[in-house]
Amino acid sequence: MYFWKIDDQTIRCLINREEIDQMGFDINTIGNDSVGMTEFLNAIVRNSKNYISWDSGNGIQNYVARALPSDQFLFTISCMLPDEAIDRDLDQIKKMTTALREKISEERIDNIYKLSGEEKEKEFEALAKDLHGVCAGNPQDVQQGEDEMKEAPAVPKAQASETTEDGAEQIDVRPHIPPQKILFSHFKNLLDFCSLLSQKYFVASRLYKDNETYVLLVDFPLEMENTAIISFLITAEEYGGECSNQRFDEYFLSEHAKVILKEDAVEILHYMN
């Protein structure tokens, strides 16, 4: 079970089926039982107090439940009163409106009207990504490198380099980038990074927490182009990740750190934000 705070009156809980069973609840039945769900959510709130400090004095006002891969579930629980929640949303809408005016002006749209062909498609895609970024609550400038993450350019897997004495071509085999360890100091940066990834980047991955550092272990498939892998790593760094030059040391982490996501970490984090 893992908790983190969205704001002073809202938390998220990542929990797996086994942990729910250990709490004495059946996830297959509480979804259709309002009383059972209330008891379960209250149990989560009580448990959260052992890990984080937040204000649950108003009682549970709203919740969202989402099923994730690998028999894991994400619960967002808010104790914010309805009027306060609306005020918070209005504040966010004001920020979005300001960001929309700054990033998607009428002049920019008019200029796209005047274009044609590939240039028009490219500019429209850039505008659509900016719109998505604003609506997702990221009014700041879109990070450089997101375009690369959506579709990294292909490169030849091997190239003929020379000819041997018997006339056969000598092929340079592309060296594959080994598994990588990426360190994040802030969980939100990790979430923001994974949320922008397309499905082609849902690589084998695990997530650990070592003291206050989140450690994402990624193992890239052999067929994945090095350009795509490098783009993945560069963009992770733009979101505050540190690509460690230390050895992969998963055994050390499994012994000394807390495992948060045992598998499919990138995919699960993508859908959590």
Side-chain angles (χ1 to χ4, degrees):
M1 190 181 306
Y2 182 73
F3 297 94
W4 67 99
K5 185 163 64 174
I6 303 301
D7 56 44
D8 288 340
Q9 294 178 285
T10 308
I11 63 167
R12 278 182 177 152
C13 173
L14 179 66
I15 186 171
N16 60 43
R17 185 183 295 272
E18 182 180 352
E19 291 170 323
I20 295 174
D21 292 341
Q22 291 173 353
M23 293 172 64
F25 296 94
D26 183 352
I27 191 64
N28 295 322
T29 60
I30 60 175
N32 298 316
D33 177 6
S34 59
V35 175
M37 178 60 77
T38 299
E39 292 177 354
F40 172 67
L41 294 175
N42 282 326
I44 287 181
V45 169
R46 288 193 299 270
N47 202 329
S48 71
K49 300 296 184 176
N50 297 321
Y51 302 94
I52 57 176
S53 175
W54 65 294
D55 181 7
S56 59
N58 295 323
I60 298 173
Q61 300 293 321
N62 189 24
Y63 78 92
V64 176
R66 179 184 295 174
L68 300 174
S70 303
D71 263 353
Q72 292 185 303
F73 302 87
L74 179 68
F75 290 89
T76 303
I77 302 173
S78 177
C79 294
M80 185 175 292
L81 294 173
D83 284 353
E84 294 177 0
I86 291 174
D87 290 344
R88 179 195 58 187
D89 293 341
L90 287 173
D91 290 340
Q92 183 62 29
I93 290 172
K94 285 173 64 177
K95 294 178 182 178
M96 289 169 55
T97 303
T98 301
L100 281 171
R101 284 197 297 265
E102 292 175 352
K103 298 189 70 64
I104 307 177
S105 63
E106 290 187 10
E107 181 181 3
R108 182 179 178 185
I109 295 174
D110 290 341
N111 288 335
I112 296 176
Y113 274 122
K114 299 173 184 177
L115 301 175
S116 61
E118 293 184 3
E119 187 178 8
K120 187 167 190 172
E121 292 179 5
K122 181 180 179 180
E123 291 300 320
F124 178 76
E125 288 177 2
L127 182 143
K129 288 174 182 176
D130 285 353
L131 176 61
H132 177 271
V134 172
C135 292
N138 302 311
Q140 67 273 18
D141 290 341
V142 177
Q143 295 279 353
Q144 182 180 4
E146 289 190 12
D147 291 347
E148 297 175 357
M149 296 306 304
K150 299 300 180 183
E151 191 61 45
V155 297
K157 292 187 177 180
Q159 296 178 347
S161 59
E162 59 184 59
T163 302
T164 61
E165 293 181 358
D166 59 3
E169 282 188 332
Q170 178 73 31
I171 302 297
D172 287 338
V173 178
R174 171 176 61 90
H176 184 69
I177 295 176
Q180 297 289 310
K181 179 173 67 174
I182 309 174
L183 312 178
F184 287 85
S185 299
H186 302 286
F187 190 71
K188 187 177 188 306
N189 289 356
L190 173 60
L191 277 180
D192 289 344
F193 164 62
C194 290
S195 69
L196 70 88
L197 301 176
S198 61
Q199 291 186 0
K200 65 181 287 185
Y201 292 97
F202 291 173
V203 297
S205 48
R206 290 160 298 288
L207 179 64
Y208 292 86
K209 187 175 183 182
D210 184 15
N211 293 322
E212 297 303 315
T213 301
Y214 298 92
V215 184
L216 180 66
L217 302 184
V218 289
D219 190 1
F220 302 104
L222 288 173
E223 64 272 14
M224 193 171 192
E225 299 294 348
N226 281 354
T227 50
I229 297 174
I230 293 171
S231 178
F232 182 104
L233 298 176
I234 290 175
T235 307
E237 290 184 343
E238 291 176 347
Y239 277 79
E242 177 187 347
C243 297
S244 174
N245 55 8
Q246 300 177 0
R247 60 189 299 271
F248 196 55
D249 64 10
E250 183 170 8
Y251 177 77
F252 175 85
L253 287 171
S254 64
E255 289 291 321
H256 301 281
K258 177 182 178 182
V259 60
I260 298 177
L261 296 171
K262 296 180 180 179
E263 58 183 12
D264 302 324
V266 170
E267 179 179 359
I268 291 173
L269 292 167
H270 171 86
Y271 292 112
M272 282 173 59
N273 202 2

